Amino acid sequence: MGSIFQKPIVLLRLEGLTVFLLALVIYWQQSFGWILFWSAVLLPDLALLGYLVNASVGATAYNVTHSKLLPGALAVIAIVTSNTLFSALALIWFVHIGVDRMLGYGLKYPEGFKVTHLGTIGTMGGESRGSYLPCGK
């Protein structure tokens, strides 16, 4: 059971891949419309407009729209009310989050857009990607 299980970043990215594939397959299996999918898949990124205010507002807005809490709540509401539009939107939202995690775009810290729970995106202060982690490792 070697090294892959000793690297949390790899597991987190694989979780992102799993969320992406699971949501996409369910979306396809339910025969939801692809026009809706392509129209809505980037909507969570509107939260990036919060960075026009400042990094703290941007990080908060991004984290609210890129954690699995809201699409999870929307999915529960969709199931309880048998609302197919809510079901489709929740799945699209999960697809978006899954792709982001798979690509290394994690939840943001107020220090800046590139500082995430998955490490630093690109470079920051001359440090290579992945060198910043909240635990100081």
PDB file of all heavy atoms in Angstrom, residues 59-93:
ATOM      1  N   ALA A  59     -11.447  35.223  -0.695  1.00  0.00           N
ATOM      2  CA  ALA A  59     -11.252  33.878  -0.155  1.00  0.00           C
ATOM      3  C   ALA A  59     -12.545  33.347   0.457  1.00  0.00           C
ATOM      4  O   ALA A  59     -12.918  32.189   0.238  1.00  0.00           O
ATOM      5  CB  ALA A  59     -10.136  33.884   0.887  1.00  0.00           C
ATOM      6  N   THR A  60     -13.240  34.202   1.193  1.00  0.00           N
ATOM      7  CA  THR A  60     -14.501  33.778   1.811  1.00  0.00           C
ATOM      8  C   THR A  60     -15.533  33.419   0.754  1.00  0.00           C
ATOM      9  O   THR A  60     -16.177  32.364   0.834  1.00  0.00           O
ATOM     10  CB  THR A  60     -15.045  34.875   2.743  1.00  0.00           C
ATOM     11  OG1 THR A  60     -14.080  35.125   3.767  1.00  0.00           O
ATOM     12  CG2 THR A  60     -16.362  34.468   3.366  1.00  0.00           C
ATOM     13  N   ALA A  61     -15.693  34.285  -0.243  1.00  0.00           N
ATOM     14  CA  ALA A  61     -16.661  34.020  -1.307  1.00  0.00           C
ATOM     15  C   ALA A  61     -16.303  32.741  -2.064  1.00  0.00           C
ATOM     16  O   ALA A  61     -17.173  31.905  -2.344  1.00  0.00           O
ATOM     17  CB  ALA A  61     -16.722  35.211  -2.265  1.00  0.00           C
ATOM     18  N   TYR A  62     -15.032  32.587  -2.371  1.00  0.00           N
ATOM     19  CA  TYR A  62     -14.582  31.386  -3.083  1.00  0.00           C
ATOM     20  C   TYR A  62     -14.857  30.139  -2.247  1.00  0.00           C
ATOM     21  O   TYR A  62     -15.387  29.145  -2.752  1.00  0.00           O
ATOM     22  CB  TYR A  62     -13.085  31.483  -3.414  1.00  0.00           C
ATOM     23  CG  TYR A  62     -12.582  30.323  -4.237  1.00  0.00           C
ATOM     24  CD1 TYR A  62     -12.555  30.395  -5.624  1.00  0.00           C
ATOM     25  CD2 TYR A  62     -12.150  29.153  -3.627  1.00  0.00           C
ATOM     26  CE1 TYR A  62     -12.105  29.320  -6.388  1.00  0.00           C
ATOM     27  CE2 TYR A  62     -11.697  28.082  -4.375  1.00  0.00           C
ATOM     28  CZ  TYR A  62     -11.675  28.168  -5.747  1.00  0.00           C
ATOM     29  OH  TYR A  62     -11.237  27.101  -6.493  1.00  0.00           O
ATOM     30  N   ASN A  63     -14.499  30.185  -0.971  1.00  0.00           N
ATOM     31  CA  ASN A  63     -14.658  29.010  -0.112  1.00  0.00           C
ATOM     32  C   ASN A  63     -16.117  28.624   0.072  1.00  0.00           C
ATOM     33  O   ASN A  63     -16.453  27.440   0.112  1.00  0.00           O
ATOM     34  CB  ASN A  63     -13.989  29.246   1.240  1.00  0.00           C
ATOM     35  CG  ASN A  63     -12.484  29.306   1.117  1.00  0.00           C
ATOM     36  OD1 ASN A  63     -11.907  28.907   0.102  1.00  0.00           O
ATOM     37  ND2 ASN A  63     -11.838  29.826   2.142  1.00  0.00           N
ATOM     38  N   VAL A  64     -16.997  29.608   0.174  1.00  0.00           N
ATOM     39  CA  VAL A  64     -18.423  29.323   0.328  1.00  0.00           C
ATOM     40  C   VAL A  64     -18.956  28.601  -0.908  1.00  0.00           C
ATOM     41  O   VAL A  64     -19.733  27.653  -0.802  1.00  0.00           O
ATOM     42  CB  VAL A  64     -19.222  30.625   0.598  1.00  0.00           C
ATOM     43  CG1 VAL A  64     -20.710  30.415   0.413  1.00  0.00           C
ATOM     44  CG2 VAL A  64     -18.923  31.132   2.003  1.00  0.00           C
ATOM     45  N   THR A  65     -18.512  29.039  -2.081  1.00  0.00           N
ATOM     46  CA  THR A  65     -19.036  28.444  -3.318  1.00  0.00           C
ATOM     47  C   THR A  65     -18.235  27.229  -3.792  1.00  0.00           C
ATOM     48  O   THR A  65     -18.660  26.555  -4.733  1.00  0.00           O
ATOM     49  CB  THR A  65     -19.074  29.479  -4.459  1.00  0.00           C
ATOM     50  OG1 THR A  65     -17.756  29.976  -4.697  1.00  0.00           O
ATOM     51  CG2 THR A  65     -20.021  30.620  -4.116  1.00  0.00           C
ATOM     52  N   HIS A  66     -17.096  26.955  -3.160  1.00  0.00           N
ATOM     53  CA  HIS A  66     -16.274  25.838  -3.600  1.00  0.00           C
ATOM     54  C   HIS A  66     -16.082  24.758  -2.532  1.00  0.00           C
ATOM     55  O   HIS A  66     -15.239  23.871  -2.692  1.00  0.00           O
ATOM     56  CB  HIS A  66     -14.919  26.341  -4.106  1.00  0.00           C
ATOM     57  CG  HIS A  66     -15.025  26.992  -5.443  1.00  0.00           C
ATOM     58  ND1 HIS A  66     -15.493  28.276  -5.603  1.00  0.00           N
ATOM     59  CD2 HIS A  66     -14.739  26.541  -6.686  1.00  0.00           C
ATOM     60  CE1 HIS A  66     -15.483  28.583  -6.894  1.00  0.00           C
ATOM     61  NE2 HIS A  66     -15.034  27.540  -7.572  1.00  0.00           N
ATOM     62  N   SER A  67     -16.827  24.840  -1.444  1.00  0.00           N
ATOM     63  CA  SER A  67     -16.864  23.708  -0.519  1.00  0.00           C
ATOM     64  C   SER A  67     -18.063  22.856  -0.941  1.00  0.00           C
ATOM     65  O   SER A  67     -18.915  23.308  -1.708  1.00  0.00           O
ATOM     66  CB  SER A  67     -17.012  24.171   0.930  1.00  0.00           C
ATOM     67  OG  SER A  67     -18.344  24.512   1.206  1.00  0.00           O
ATOM     68  N   LYS A  68     -18.137  21.666  -0.447  1.00  0.00           N
ATOM     69  CA  LYS A  68     -19.231  20.777  -0.856  1.00  0.00           C
ATOM     70  C   LYS A  68     -20.491  20.970  -0.013  1.00  0.00           C
ATOM     71  O   LYS A  68     -21.488  20.283  -0.227  1.00  0.00           O
ATOM     72  CB  LYS A  68     -18.753  19.326  -0.796  1.00  0.00           C
ATOM     73  CG  LYS A  68     -17.635  19.044  -1.784  1.00  0.00           C
ATOM     74  CD  LYS A  68     -17.156  17.611  -1.669  1.00  0.00           C
ATOM     75  CE  LYS A  68     -15.823  17.446  -2.340  1.00  0.00           C
ATOM     76  NZ  LYS A  68     -14.690  17.643  -1.435  1.00  0.00           N
ATOM     77  N   LEU A  69     -20.478  21.934   0.904  1.00  0.00           N
ATOM     78  CA  LEU A  69     -21.632  22.139   1.791  1.00  0.00           C
ATOM     79  C   LEU A  69     -22.883  22.615   1.042  1.00  0.00           C
ATOM     80  O   LEU A  69     -23.954  22.028   1.209  1.00  0.00           O
ATOM     81  CB  LEU A  69     -21.272  23.139   2.889  1.00  0.00           C
ATOM     82  CG  LEU A  69     -20.213  22.673   3.874  1.00  0.00           C
ATOM     83  CD1 LEU A  69     -19.817  23.809   4.815  1.00  0.00           C
ATOM     84  CD2 LEU A  69     -20.708  21.467   4.651  1.00  0.00           C
ATOM     85  N   LEU A  70     -22.762  23.668   0.251  1.00  0.00           N
ATOM     86  CA  LEU A  70     -23.947  24.200  -0.436  1.00  0.00           C
ATOM     87  C   LEU A  70     -24.488  23.259  -1.510  1.00  0.00           C
ATOM     88  O   LEU A  70     -25.703  23.032  -1.562  1.00  0.00           O
ATOM     89  CB  LEU A  70     -23.658  25.590  -1.009  1.00  0.00           C
ATOM     90  CG  LEU A  70     -23.497  26.702   0.024  1.00  0.00           C
ATOM     91  CD1 LEU A  70     -23.214  28.042  -0.656  1.00  0.00           C
ATOM     92  CD2 LEU A  70     -24.726  26.815   0.903  1.00  0.00           C
ATOM     93  N   PRO A  71     -23.644  22.689  -2.377  1.00  0.00           N
ATOM     94  CA  PRO A  71     -24.231  21.744  -3.339  1.00  0.00           C
ATOM     95  C   PRO A  71     -24.798  20.501  -2.651  1.00  0.00           C
ATOM     96  O   PRO A  71     -25.780  19.921  -3.125  1.00  0.00           O
ATOM     97  CB  PRO A  71     -23.071  21.397  -4.272  1.00  0.00           C
ATOM     98  CG  PRO A  71     -21.842  21.806  -3.573  1.00  0.00           C
ATOM     99  CD  PRO A  71     -22.224  22.920  -2.640  1.00  0.00           C
ATOM    100  N   GLY A  72     -24.203  20.121  -1.514  1.00  0.00           N
ATOM    101  CA  GLY A  72     -24.760  19.008  -0.752  1.00  0.00           C
ATOM    102  C   GLY A  72     -26.141  19.333  -0.208  1.00  0.00           C
ATOM    103  O   GLY A  72     -27.069  18.520  -0.290  1.00  0.00           O
ATOM    104  N   ALA A  73     -26.291  20.544   0.337  1.00  0.00           N
ATOM    105  CA  ALA A  73     -27.599  20.984   0.837  1.00  0.00           C
ATOM    106  C   ALA A  73     -28.602  21.073  -0.307  1.00  0.00           C
ATOM    107  O   ALA A  73     -29.769  20.666  -0.169  1.00  0.00           O
ATOM    108  CB  ALA A  73     -27.470  22.327   1.549  1.00  0.00           C
ATOM    109  N   LEU A  74     -28.155  21.600  -1.445  1.00  0.00           N
ATOM    110  CA  LEU A  74     -29.037  21.688  -2.619  1.00  0.00           C
ATOM    111  C   LEU A  74     -29.463  20.295  -3.075  1.00  0.00           C
ATOM    112  O   LEU A  74     -30.632  20.086  -3.438  1.00  0.00           O
ATOM    113  CB  LEU A  74     -28.331  22.446  -3.748  1.00  0.00           C
ATOM    114  CG  LEU A  74     -29.147  22.690  -5.014  1.00  0.00           C
ATOM    115  CD1 LEU A  74     -30.394  23.523  -4.711  1.00  0.00           C
ATOM    116  CD2 LEU A  74     -28.277  23.364  -6.078  1.00  0.00           C
ATOM    117  N   ALA A  75     -28.553  19.329  -3.037  1.00  0.00           N
ATOM    118  CA  ALA A  75     -28.892  17.956  -3.423  1.00  0.00           C
ATOM    119  C   ALA A  75     -29.925  17.357  -2.470  1.00  0.00           C
ATOM    120  O   ALA A  75     -30.864  16.678  -2.916  1.00  0.00           O
ATOM    121  CB  ALA A  75     -27.626  17.094  -3.450  1.00  0.00           C
ATOM    122  N   VAL A  76     -29.779  17.613  -1.176  1.00  0.00           N
ATOM    123  CA  VAL A  76     -30.752  17.104  -0.205  1.00  0.00           C
ATOM    124  C   VAL A  76     -32.122  17.718  -0.476  1.00  0.00           C
ATOM    125  O   VAL A  76     -33.146  17.015  -0.505  1.00  0.00           O
ATOM    126  CB  VAL A  76     -30.292  17.379   1.244  1.00  0.00           C
ATOM    127  CG1 VAL A  76     -31.413  17.114   2.237  1.00  0.00           C
ATOM    128  CG2 VAL A  76     -29.068  16.544   1.575  1.00  0.00           C
ATOM    129  N   ILE A  77     -32.162  19.032  -0.700  1.00  0.00           N
ATOM    130  CA  ILE A  77     -33.431  19.696  -1.010  1.00  0.00           C
ATOM    131  C   ILE A  77     -34.025  19.110  -2.288  1.00  0.00           C
ATOM    132  O   ILE A  77     -35.239  18.863  -2.373  1.00  0.00           O
ATOM    133  CB  ILE A  77     -33.234  21.224  -1.142  1.00  0.00           C
ATOM    134  CG1 ILE A  77     -32.890  21.816   0.218  1.00  0.00           C
ATOM    135  CG2 ILE A  77     -34.461  21.891  -1.730  1.00  0.00           C
ATOM    136  CD1 ILE A  77     -32.392  23.254   0.175  1.00  0.00           C
ATOM    137  N   ALA A  78     -33.180  18.878  -3.288  1.00  0.00           N
ATOM    138  CA  ALA A  78     -33.650  18.309  -4.558  1.00  0.00           C
ATOM    139  C   ALA A  78     -34.274  16.938  -4.350  1.00  0.00           C
ATOM    140  O   ALA A  78     -35.324  16.629  -4.927  1.00  0.00           O
ATOM    141  CB  ALA A  78     -32.485  18.221  -5.544  1.00  0.00           C
ATOM    142  N   ILE A  79     -33.640  16.120  -3.532  1.00  0.00           N
ATOM    143  CA  ILE A  79     -34.162  14.768  -3.289  1.00  0.00           C
ATOM    144  C   ILE A  79     -35.471  14.824  -2.518  1.00  0.00           C
ATOM    145  O   ILE A  79     -36.448  14.155  -2.872  1.00  0.00           O
ATOM    146  CB  ILE A  79     -33.112  13.916  -2.549  1.00  0.00           C
ATOM    147  CG1 ILE A  79     -31.923  13.649  -3.478  1.00  0.00           C
ATOM    148  CG2 ILE A  79     -33.724  12.610  -2.030  1.00  0.00           C
ATOM    149  CD1 ILE A  79     -30.695  13.116  -2.770  1.00  0.00           C
ATOM    150  N   VAL A  80     -35.508  15.654  -1.468  1.00  0.00           N
ATOM    151  CA  VAL A  80     -36.709  15.748  -0.627  1.00  0.00           C
ATOM    152  C   VAL A  80     -37.896  16.303  -1.413  1.00  0.00           C
ATOM    153  O   VAL A  80     -39.034  15.845  -1.243  1.00  0.00           O
ATOM    154  CB  VAL A  80     -36.424  16.613   0.623  1.00  0.00           C
ATOM    155  CG1 VAL A  80     -37.701  16.965   1.365  1.00  0.00           C
ATOM    156  CG2 VAL A  80     -35.446  15.889   1.541  1.00  0.00           C
ATOM    157  N   THR A  81     -37.641  17.257  -2.299  1.00  0.00           N
ATOM    158  CA  THR A  81     -38.725  17.899  -3.051  1.00  0.00           C
ATOM    159  C   THR A  81     -38.916  17.327  -4.453  1.00  0.00           C
ATOM    160  O   THR A  81     -39.793  17.772  -5.181  1.00  0.00           O
ATOM    161  CB  THR A  81     -38.460  19.412  -3.179  1.00  0.00           C
ATOM    162  OG1 THR A  81     -37.266  19.613  -3.945  1.00  0.00           O
ATOM    163  CG2 THR A  81     -38.362  20.077  -1.822  1.00  0.00           C
ATOM    164  N   SER A  82     -38.105  16.355  -4.832  1.00  0.00           N
ATOM    165  CA  SER A  82     -38.135  15.765  -6.179  1.00  0.00           C
ATOM    166  C   SER A  82     -37.972  16.824  -7.270  1.00  0.00           C
ATOM    167  O   SER A  82     -38.590  16.764  -8.329  1.00  0.00           O
ATOM    168  CB  SER A  82     -39.437  14.981  -6.403  1.00  0.00           C
ATOM    169  OG  SER A  82     -39.543  13.928  -5.489  1.00  0.00           O
ATOM    170  N   ASN A  83     -37.114  17.796  -7.004  1.00  0.00           N
ATOM    171  CA  ASN A  83     -36.884  18.891  -7.940  1.00  0.00           C
ATOM    172  C   ASN A  83     -35.710  18.533  -8.851  1.00  0.00           C
ATOM    173  O   ASN A  83     -34.552  18.529  -8.427  1.00  0.00           O
ATOM    174  CB  ASN A  83     -36.602  20.178  -7.157  1.00  0.00           C
ATOM    175  CG  ASN A  83     -36.512  21.392  -8.036  1.00  0.00           C
ATOM    176  OD1 ASN A  83     -35.865  21.376  -9.075  1.00  0.00           O
ATOM    177  ND2 ASN A  83     -37.163  22.469  -7.607  1.00  0.00           N
ATOM    178  N   THR A  84     -36.007  18.239 -10.114  1.00  0.00           N
ATOM    179  CA  THR A  84     -34.961  17.799 -11.036  1.00  0.00           C
ATOM    180  C   THR A  84     -33.991  18.920 -11.394  1.00  0.00           C
ATOM    181  O   THR A  84     -32.804  18.654 -11.619  1.00  0.00           O
ATOM    182  CB  THR A  84     -35.549  17.198 -12.317  1.00  0.00           C
ATOM    183  OG1 THR A  84     -36.405  18.152 -12.943  1.00  0.00           O
ATOM    184  CG2 THR A  84     -36.321  15.922 -12.013  1.00  0.00           C
ATOM    185  N   LEU A  85     -34.468  20.162 -11.447  1.00  0.00           N
ATOM    186  CA  LEU A  85     -33.554  21.272 -11.736  1.00  0.00           C
ATOM    187  C   LEU A  85     -32.521  21.402 -10.623  1.00  0.00           C
ATOM    188  O   LEU A  85     -31.325  21.548 -10.893  1.00  0.00           O
ATOM    189  CB  LEU A  85     -34.315  22.592 -11.913  1.00  0.00           C
ATOM    190  CG  LEU A  85     -33.428  23.831 -12.127  1.00  0.00           C
ATOM    191  CD1 LEU A  85     -32.577  23.688 -13.395  1.00  0.00           C
ATOM    192  CD2 LEU A  85     -34.272  25.094 -12.168  1.00  0.00           C
ATOM    193  N   PHE A  86     -32.959  21.333  -9.371  1.00  0.00           N
ATOM    194  CA  PHE A  86     -32.026  21.403  -8.251  1.00  0.00           C
ATOM    195  C   PHE A  86     -31.050  20.229  -8.282  1.00  0.00           C
ATOM    196  O   PHE A  86     -29.870  20.381  -7.968  1.00  0.00           O
ATOM    197  CB  PHE A  86     -32.765  21.442  -6.922  1.00  0.00           C
ATOM    198  CG  PHE A  86     -33.426  22.762  -6.592  1.00  0.00           C
ATOM    199  CD1 PHE A  86     -33.378  23.839  -7.458  1.00  0.00           C
ATOM    200  CD2 PHE A  86     -34.100  22.924  -5.394  1.00  0.00           C
ATOM    201  CE1 PHE A  86     -33.982  25.050  -7.155  1.00  0.00           C
ATOM    202  CE2 PHE A  86     -34.707  24.128  -5.072  1.00  0.00           C
ATOM    203  CZ  PHE A  86     -34.646  25.192  -5.957  1.00  0.00           C
ATOM    204  N   SER A  87     -31.543  19.044  -8.650  1.00  0.00           N
ATOM    205  CA  SER A  87     -30.666  17.875  -8.770  1.00  0.00           C
ATOM    206  C   SER A  87     -29.586  18.120  -9.810  1.00  0.00           C
ATOM    207  O   SER A  87     -28.399  17.865  -9.569  1.00  0.00           O
ATOM    208  CB  SER A  87     -31.459  16.626  -9.161  1.00  0.00           C
ATOM    209  OG  SER A  87     -32.333  16.243  -8.156  1.00  0.00           O
ATOM    210  N   ALA A  88     -29.991  18.616 -10.963  1.00  0.00           N
ATOM    211  CA  ALA A  88     -29.035  18.881 -12.044  1.00  0.00           C
ATOM    212  C   ALA A  88     -28.020  19.934 -11.611  1.00  0.00           C
ATOM    213  O   ALA A  88     -26.808  19.772 -11.830  1.00  0.00           O
ATOM    214  CB  ALA A  88     -29.776  19.329 -13.301  1.00  0.00           C
ATOM    215  N   LEU A  89     -28.486  21.010 -10.982  1.00  0.00           N
ATOM    216  CA  LEU A  89     -27.577  22.077 -10.553  1.00  0.00           C
ATOM    217  C   LEU A  89     -26.604  21.601  -9.475  1.00  0.00           C
ATOM    218  O   LEU A  89     -25.429  21.967  -9.488  1.00  0.00           O
ATOM    219  CB  LEU A  89     -28.373  23.286 -10.080  1.00  0.00           C
ATOM    220  CG  LEU A  89     -29.133  24.046 -11.179  1.00  0.00           C
ATOM    221  CD1 LEU A  89     -30.010  25.131 -10.567  1.00  0.00           C
ATOM    222  CD2 LEU A  89     -28.181  24.628 -12.211  1.00  0.00           C
ATOM    223  N   ALA A  90     -27.080  20.780  -8.557  1.00  0.00           N
ATOM    224  CA  ALA A  90     -26.192  20.241  -7.518  1.00  0.00           C
ATOM    225  C   ALA A  90     -25.105  19.374  -8.146  1.00  0.00           C
ATOM    226  O   ALA A  90     -23.928  19.468  -7.779  1.00  0.00           O
ATOM    227  CB  ALA A  90     -26.999  19.439  -6.496  1.00  0.00           C
ATOM    228  N   LEU A  91     -25.471  18.548  -9.094  1.00  0.00           N
ATOM    229  CA  LEU A  91     -24.489  17.694  -9.756  1.00  0.00           C
ATOM    230  C   LEU A  91     -23.479  18.521 -10.551  1.00  0.00           C
ATOM    231  O   LEU A  91     -22.279  18.237 -10.526  1.00  0.00           O
ATOM    232  CB  LEU A  91     -25.191  16.688 -10.669  1.00  0.00           C
ATOM    233  CG  LEU A  91     -25.941  15.579  -9.932  1.00  0.00           C
ATOM    234  CD1 LEU A  91     -26.857  14.824 -10.888  1.00  0.00           C
ATOM    235  CD2 LEU A  91     -24.967  14.631  -9.250  1.00  0.00           C
ATOM    236  N   ILE A  92     -23.951  19.545 -11.246  1.00  0.00           N
ATOM    237  CA  ILE A  92     -23.049  20.434 -11.985  1.00  0.00           C
ATOM    238  C   ILE A  92     -22.072  21.097 -11.023  1.00  0.00           C
ATOM    239  O   ILE A  92     -20.876  21.210 -11.303  1.00  0.00           O
ATOM    240  CB  ILE A  92     -23.850  21.491 -12.776  1.00  0.00           C
ATOM    241  CG1 ILE A  92     -24.642  20.829 -13.899  1.00  0.00           C
ATOM    242  CG2 ILE A  92     -22.934  22.585 -13.323  1.00  0.00           C
ATOM    243  CD1 ILE A  92     -25.696  21.732 -14.531  1.00  0.00           C
ATOM    244  N   TRP A  93     -22.573  21.528  -9.885  1.00  0.00           N
ATOM    245  CA  TRP A  93     -21.744  22.173  -8.872  1.00  0.00           C
ATOM    246  C   TRP A  93     -20.674  21.212  -8.355  1.00  0.00           C
ATOM    247  O   TRP A  93     -19.511  21.572  -8.206  1.00  0.00           O
ATOM    248  CB  TRP A  93     -22.637  22.651  -7.737  1.00  0.00           C
ATOM    249  CG  TRP A  93     -22.163  23.804  -6.926  1.00  0.00           C
ATOM    250  CD1 TRP A  93     -20.895  24.287  -6.809  1.00  0.00           C
ATOM    251  CD2 TRP A  93     -22.968  24.618  -6.078  1.00  0.00           C
ATOM    252  NE1 TRP A  93     -20.871  25.341  -5.927  1.00  0.00           N
ATOM    253  CE2 TRP A  93     -22.134  25.572  -5.470  1.00  0.00           C
ATOM    254  CE3 TRP A  93     -24.323  24.625  -5.758  1.00  0.00           C
ATOM    255  CZ2 TRP A  93     -22.598  26.515  -4.565  1.00  0.00           C
ATOM    256  CZ3 TRP A  93     -24.793  25.566  -4.869  1.00  0.00           C
ATOM    257  CH2 TRP A  93     -23.943  26.508  -4.284  1.00  0.00           C
TER     258      TRP A  93
END
